[in-house]
Amino acid sequence: MTAAKSRMIDQQGLVELAVEDDVRESARFNEDIAPTEAKERTWSKWNIAALWVGMSICVPTYTLGGVLTAYFGLSVGEALLAILLANVIVLIPLTLNAFPGTKFGIPFPVVLRSSFGILGSNVPCLVRALVGCGWFGIQTMFGGLAIHLLLSALFPAWAALGGVGEVIGFFVFGAMNLYVVIRGAESIKWLETLAAPLLLAVGIGLMMWAWPHMSMTELLAQPPSRPEGASVYGYFFAGLTAMVGFWATLSLNIPDFSRFAKSQKDQIVGQILGLPLTMFFFAALGVVLTAASESLVGQTIADPVNLIGMIDSPAWVVLAMVLIIIATLSTNTAANIVSPTNDFQNIAPKFINQTRGVLLTGAVGVLLMGYDLLQKAGVVSQGVSLEQMYSNWLLGYSSLLGPIAGIMAVDYFLIKKQRLDVPSLYMDHHAYPAVNIAGFIAFGVPVALTLLSLLTGTMNWFYDYGWFTGSALGAVVYYLASQALATSPQVGPVPLAASEVVK
């Protein structure tokens, strides 16, 4: 083991890495996952709030109320309460796990090297990456449909293409997303800052359009779909878990964005301003518009793209589809491409840079959506609805991601006490082990219990409340395992030995 030459410099609470050849030549380093310099940390609380507004206003958010009422047995009022409460709860791991990104300027995969090891970090990274690629495919499908309806309104002959036109739209929209991310963080910042006020204005306009065509009193009075007399608590907490799971992905990789924040205050205030109320408002908009759709177009439609596509005015359809494309683009680029791009780079930083990571994300997303694309092209018959598919995902992947969120928070705040040896995070055989056994024990125990629940039908509560049970158990097991293995070289010391922070 050789001493690190690179230094960490404290710039008023934001630690900047002065990179020397020892880090730059390491196999674990490339410029795209390098710590941001202090001058690159330009995102204010308003930029971060705009990021969350841009990510929250999307088609899946619009359908959340319908998912909770149709598949989780909640009433409309219970569904909206679950959505609001879930997004307040998810602020806790979001703000906590954003701290190391803001302080040290490091992205999610590099933060994970502290708790899972330099090489071991690839396992949770790939779990997160595959979920992101899946959501990239789903959101790209919605964006592709909007492009298809836009072109159909402009060129009537295009409508005759049917599902093939949607497939073409899918690839066109996917390419637009990849281009934005390849251009870098400033491109995403510009897109989100531009889109946020526009999308909020459109949402308010749609609410005003739909409100006279439905009765909120009657809507809230509708009975839930769960069995009569069944206790609300089990259904509510299962739905709450699913809603927390909606942003379980971002609660992990939030350092990918907080590394550009000006300060901890900016990342905390920005997330509080941007997330809970936006999610609640747009989910409520989905409930209201779905209820009003019978009066507006003659049938109940839960998908805003198809609902707006049925308006008998080509000019309004064109305008609405452009806005939906912007909304889906602002969500997809930030929420579903940035993290997989960084996660794939973590595997082999010298061979996979940002551009290759973006292209790999796009390729995996297309493969995961292959069956749906074949359905649209008419090659295979229609199967499970997309709404059913991602409502099942919300519970399933939250059970996998919850433990990682708990492990990250405990590692940074309780084990490492907010101190990281950043140069050693980019090098083998320094302050951090190749594989941190404590991290894998803490990840493996909740996952094993989840699989036991699914395979045996016992302990259903553990799966139904997967994010809560997984994050809590992962956090506790990680703390205990780290204490028990504190002297093991497979866990590593509280690091700052290889480099001193220069004031």
Side-chain angles (χ1 to χ4, degrees), residues 145 148 152 157-168 376-377:
L145 175 59
H148 170 65
S152 296
W158 184 273
L161 293 174
V164 174
E166 292 183 38
V167 174
I168 295 172
K376 285 183 166 42

Side-chain angles (χ1 to χ4, degrees), residues 113 116-121 428-429 432-437 440 489-490:
R113 292 175 182 179
F116 283 86
I118 302 298
L119 297 179
S121 62
D428 295 316
H429 313 301
Y432 301 93
V435 175
N436 185 355
I437 294 176
F440 281 91
Q490 298 303 308

Side-chain angles (χ1 to χ4, degrees), residues 398-418:
S398 67
S399 299
L400 288 177
L401 302 185
I404 302 173
I407 290 167
M408 287 176 64
V410 168
D411 179 74
Y412 183 68
F413 287 99
L414 299 183
I415 304 300
K416 303 305 183 344
K417 304 185 189 317
Q418 301 186 61

Side-chain angles (χ1 to χ4, degrees), residues 241 395 398-400 402-403 450 461-472:
T241 301
L395 276 179
S398 67
S399 299
L400 288 177
T450 298
W461 57 271
F462 194 88
Y463 174 74
D464 289 343
Y465 313 138
W467 188 88
F468 293 101
T469 54
S471 58

Side-chain angles (χ1 to χ4, degrees), residues 188-485:
I188 295 172
K189 174 185 171 184
W190 176 86
L191 173 65
E192 302 295 342
T193 303
L194 175 68
L198 177 64
L199 296 176
L200 284 175
V202 170
I204 293 169
L206 287 172
M207 184 70 84
M208 294 172 64
W209 174 57
W211 196 263
H213 297 275
M214 50 77 64
S215 168
M216 198 67 188
T217 303
E218 292 180 6
L219 187 62
L220 292 174
Q222 291 178 2
S225 59
R226 60 181 176 269
E228 188 175 353
S231 172
V232 66
Y233 296 108
Y235 291 89
F236 183 82
F237 284 110
L240 182 70
T241 301
M243 293 305 97
V244 171
F246 191 82
W247 288 123
T249 50
L250 266 293
S251 71
L252 301 185
N253 77 285
I254 189 64
D256 290 332
F257 300 102
S258 68
R259 64 196 288 231
F260 298 102
K262 289 182 176 180
S263 68
Q264 297 292 2
K265 181 180 178 180
D266 281 294
Q267 68 92 356
I268 294 170
V269 174
Q271 295 198 83
I272 292 172
L273 291 175
L275 177 60
L277 291 180
T278 305
M279 286 290 293
F280 177 79
F281 169 70
F282 207 67
L285 174 64
V287 171
V288 169
L289 271 176
T290 300
S293 60
E294 177 70 33
S295 173
L296 292 169
V297 299
Q299 58 181 294
T300 300
I301 300 177
D303 174 3
V305 183
N306 284 313
L307 173 62
I308 295 171
M310 296 183 69
I311 298 173
D312 189 21
S313 170
W316 280 111
V317 170
V318 168
L319 176 61
M321 289 305 128
V322 169
L323 294 172
I324 286 175
I325 289 168
I326 293 172
T328 310
L329 184 66
S330 66
T331 298
N332 216 17
T333 51
N336 303 320
I337 303 179
V338 170
S339 181
T341 295
N342 289 339
D343 298 338
F344 289 136
Q345 288 185 78
N346 193 60
I347 299 171
K350 293 301 185 188
F351 298 99
I352 305 176
N353 59 11
Q354 178 167 301
T355 299
R356 291 175 180 174
V358 169
L359 296 176
L360 187 56
T361 298
V364 175
V366 170
L367 289 175
L368 292 176
M369 290 300 291
Y371 182 73
D372 190 74
L373 292 172
L374 291 174
Q375 284 183 337
K376 285 183 166 42
V379 177
V380 298
S381 60
Q382 295 295 313
V384 177
S385 73
L386 193 63
E387 190 177 67
Q388 283 178 291
M389 181 173 71
Y390 75 69
S391 67
N392 290 332
W393 269 31
L394 291 173
L395 276 179
Y397 73 63
S398 67
S399 299
L400 288 177
L401 302 185
I404 302 173
I407 290 167
M408 287 176 64
V410 168
D411 179 74
Y412 183 68
F413 287 99
L414 299 183
I415 304 300
K416 303 305 183 344
K417 304 185 189 317
Q418 301 186 61
R419 296 186 297 166
L420 295 175
D421 181 351
V422 179
S424 292
L425 286 172
Y426 289 92
M427 294 185 287
D428 295 316
H429 313 301
H430 279 72
Y432 301 93
V435 175
N436 185 355
I437 294 176
F440 281 91
I441 293 173
F443 180 62
V445 170
V447 170
L449 290 177
T450 298
L451 292 175
L452 179 67
S453 172
L454 289 172
L455 294 176
T456 65
T458 59
M459 294 176 59
N460 290 331
W461 57 271
F462 194 88
Y463 174 74
D464 289 343
Y465 313 138
W467 188 88
F468 293 101
T469 54
S471 58
L473 186 58
V476 171
V477 172
Y478 183 74
Y479 183 80
L480 295 176
S482 296
Q483 296 300 312
L485 300 171

Side-chain angles (χ1 to χ4, degrees), residues 29-64:
F29 177 89
N30 74 25
E31 295 295 339
D32 295 317
I33 60 170
T36 52
E37 297 179 8
K39 65 182 180 182
E40 296 176 288
R41 303 181 199 182
T42 61
W43 291 37
S44 69
K45 58 180 176 292
W46 302 113
N47 296 127
I48 294 171
L51 171 74
W52 276 110
V53 171
M55 289 195 295
S56 298
I57 297 181
C58 60
V59 174
T61 301
Y62 179 100
T63 64
L64 287 181

Side-chain angles (χ1 to χ4, degrees), residues 60-70 74-76 79-80 83 243 283 286-287:
T61 301
Y62 179 100
T63 64
L64 287 181
V67 169
L68 288 176
T69 55
L74 300 184
S75 68
V76 170
L80 293 179
I83 291 167
M243 293 305 97
V287 171

